[in-house]
Amino acid sequence: MLPEIKPIPLEVKRGPAEHVRRLQVINAAWKHFGDHGYEKTSVAALAKDIGVSSTYLYRFFDSKQSIGEAVCSEALAQIAKKLIAVQKGSGSSFQKIRDVFQTLLTNGYAMFLKDRQMHELVATAISHNWECVQNHREVIRSVLQSIIEQGRHAQAFERKTPIDEVVKGLFVAITPFANPLLLQQRNLEELEDAARAMSGLVLRSLAP
Amino acid sequence: MLPEIKPIPLEVKRGPAEHVRRLQVINAAWKHFGDHGYEKTSVAALAKDIGVSSTYLYRFFDSKQSIGEAVCSEALAQIAKKLIAVQKGSGSSFQKIRDVFQTLLTNGYAMFLKDRQMHELVATAISHNWECVQNHREVIRSVLQSIIEQGRHAQAFERKTPIDEVVKGLFVAITPFANPLLLQQRNLEELEDAARAMSGLVLRSLAP
């Protein structure tokens, strides 16, 4: 969930600019999907619940899917932000690799499993390959690439293997911890154990 | 699918022993689930379709789930057999690691994706953690362990890391290629590309 959801000022003539209002709609939709599920929600029901007209919603989003994509985008952006913080952090490249696995697992688990409805929305997004999912994959790929480059620069990682090949392998290695469908098949303890085993394997593969 | 499904001799007084008849029932159930799906099938409908009485089926299986487990077991046993053939083969340990990924992917893809109903049955088996799934995991784990031991013995693989840790990492690494839920999210070309990247990463991690 987003940190706080403020009531939407319905009749504000001035005040929040369009993009702020849009964010408020996304916040409210997030909460609504969280309570009722994305698939079962209609734009009319959503509008009614948050106290605006469907027409008002259509000022910002041209379809229910657009609202779903925006909510999904916000959800994934929160994970992306944490991954970028890991990449920019001051730890060793080794530690950063471990932290990427842990960050994906902890946040994915919290978001997709504690919040079943968000899990459903992201599963829909993945199976239809929504743009928010493609963008999220790109963020993960670029975070991995930067960490590998840092590690190579610091001579902590081997440099023989073409970096594209390394990044591709790492991207596959994080799959079991980034995919809500897989996260739901295991409990947190098993997943943390698996993430430790996988990051250990990855680090051995990166050693000079 | 099993190679051939022979009609069940209903009125045979002598002839096939119990376990042969049981296998014939499994074959027929496999075909029936393949046409109609496991979830939607009742024991009565299955019995009718294969021309026996429900009572006859209950001689071999105490519930629909038992039949499902038996079919699932047969399906997974076919993949297990191929994995064991890889492990016992004459190739290098490096090649065997690559072949494990390829075998899981090719057979899983053929079984779970071309045959949607079998996909559904195995997904049910995984989500309820049926015994056939647990056994299959054990086979995979033991194949991986044997290949690592062979590679260490031949000094092709490093020996510093505790073998349990290595096997655990490898077991996580094969997940994206062994799980029908993930297989369905990608096309075969993407999966083969991912399997090559992952086995490359694994082999770099195993290098002395």
Side-chain angles (χ1 to χ4, degrees):
Chain A
M1 284 290 170
L2 285 173
E4 53 182 67
I5 295 167
K6 293 188 185 136
I8 299 173
L10 296 185
E11 306 301 340
V12 177
K13 297 282 187 234
R14 299 161 214 224
E18 285 291 285
H19 75 274
V20 174
R21 295 200 189 195
R22 190 172 179 280
L23 271 180
Q24 289 169 332
V25 171
I26 293 172
N27 266 348
W30 188 328
K31 181 168 179 346
H32 186 83
F33 292 155
D35 293 339
H36 305 276
Y38 169 74
E39 295 290 351
K40 290 202 195 91
T41 291
S42 68
V43 172
L46 170 63
K48 194 178 168 199
D49 183 44
I50 59 183
V52 298
S53 65
S54 297
T55 315
Y56 183 85
L57 285 190
Y58 283 119
R59 275 174 57 191
F60 303 102
F61 303 99
D62 58 10
S63 64
K64 181 179 131 181
Q65 182 177 324
S66 304
I67 306 177
E69 293 215 34
V71 170
C72 181
S73 232
E74 279 297 317
L76 295 177
Q78 291 191 10
I79 298 181
K81 211 183 288 178
K82 291 182 183 168
L83 290 173
I84 291 167
V86 166
Q87 175 219 312
K88 290 192 187 297
S90 59
S92 70
S93 306
F94 265 63
Q95 190 55 45
K96 287 180 183 181
I97 292 287
R98 283 201 197 92
D99 290 348
V100 164
F101 280 88
Q102 193 58 43
T103 301
L104 283 168
L105 176 51
T106 313
N107 290 278
Y109 197 85
M111 183 166 291
F112 304 136
L113 292 195
K114 292 200 184 149
D115 187 347
R116 303 294 305 177
Q117 309 286 9
M118 190 51 63
H119 176 277
E120 181 217 339
L121 176 58
V122 177
T124 300
I126 293 176
S127 68
H128 295 88
N129 203 19
W130 285 359
E131 210 180 316
C132 54
V133 171
Q134 295 173 41
N135 292 342
H136 191 58
R137 289 208 180 103
E138 271 322 300
V139 171
I140 296 179
R141 213 185 300 273
S142 117
V143 163
L144 292 172
Q145 170 131 4
S146 297
I147 297 176
I148 304 295
E149 281 167 357
Q150 290 166 9
R152 288 184 166 205
H153 186 73
Q155 305 195 319
F157 296 160
E158 60 97 2
R159 306 169 184 222
K160 277 178 304 180
T161 318
I163 192 158
D164 286 359
E165 209 178 312
V166 173
V167 173
K168 207 185 258 183
L170 251 93
F171 190 76
V172 182
I174 56 100
T175 308
F177 311 101
N179 192 305
L181 291 177
L182 280 192
L183 287 177
Q184 73 180 345
Q185 288 179 2
R186 295 273 181 286
N187 66 44
L188 187 57
E189 203 181 329
E190 287 171 331
L191 285 166
E192 288 190 326
D193 199 41
R196 270 192 299 274
M198 192 72 232
S199 54
L201 187 156
V202 164
L203 288 173
R204 291 193 293 282
S205 84
L206 291 170
Chain B
M1 282 290 170
L2 286 172
E4 53 181 66
I5 295 167
K6 293 187 185 137
I8 299 172
L10 296 185
E11 305 302 339
V12 177
K13 297 283 187 234
R14 299 160 212 226
E18 286 291 286
H19 76 273
V20 174
R21 294 200 190 195
R22 189 172 180 280
L23 270 181
Q24 290 169 330
V25 171
I26 293 172
N27 266 349
W30 188 330
K31 183 169 180 344
H32 186 83
F33 292 155
D35 292 340
H36 304 278
Y38 170 74
E39 297 290 351
K40 290 203 195 93
T41 291
S42 68
V43 172
L46 170 62
K48 193 178 168 201
D49 184 45
I50 60 183
V52 299
S53 65
S54 296
T55 315
Y56 182 86
L57 284 190
Y58 282 119
R59 274 174 57 190
F60 302 102
F61 302 98
D62 58 10
S63 65
K64 181 180 131 182
Q65 182 177 323
S66 303
I67 306 177
E69 293 214 34
V71 169
C72 181
S73 231
E74 279 297 315
L76 295 177
Q78 292 191 12
I79 297 182
K81 211 184 287 180
K82 291 182 182 167
L83 290 173
I84 291 168
V86 167
Q87 175 219 313
K88 291 191 187 297
S90 59
S92 71
S93 306
F94 264 64
Q95 190 55 45
K96 286 180 183 181
I97 292 286
R98 282 202 196 90
D99 290 348
V100 164
F101 280 88
Q102 192 57 44
T103 301
L104 283 168
L105 176 53
T106 314
N107 290 279
Y109 196 86
M111 184 166 292
F112 304 137
L113 292 195
K114 291 200 185 150
D115 187 348
R116 303 293 305 178
Q117 309 286 8
M118 189 52 64
H119 176 278
E120 180 217 340
L121 176 58
V122 177
T124 300
I126 291 176
S127 68
H128 294 89
N129 203 19
W130 286 358
E131 210 180 317
C132 53
V133 172
Q134 296 172 40
N135 292 342
H136 191 58
R137 289 209 181 103
E138 270 323 300
V139 171
I140 295 179
R141 213 185 300 273
S142 118
V143 163
L144 292 172
Q145 170 131 5
S146 297
I147 297 176
I148 304 296
E149 280 166 357
Q150 290 166 9
R152 287 184 167 206
H153 185 73
Q155 304 194 319
F157 296 160
E158 60 96 4
R159 304 170 185 220
K160 277 178 304 179
T161 318
I163 192 159
D164 286 359
E165 208 177 312
V166 173
V167 173
K168 207 184 259 185
L170 250 93
F171 190 77
V172 182
I174 57 99
T175 307
F177 310 101
N179 192 304
L181 291 178
L182 280 193
L183 288 177
Q184 73 179 344
Q185 289 180 1
R186 296 272 179 287
N187 66 44
L188 188 56
E189 203 181 327
E190 288 170 329
L191 284 167
E192 287 190 327
D193 199 39
R196 269 191 300 273
M198 191 72 232
S199 55
L201 188 156
V202 163
L203 288 172
R204 290 193 294 281
S205 84
L206 290 170

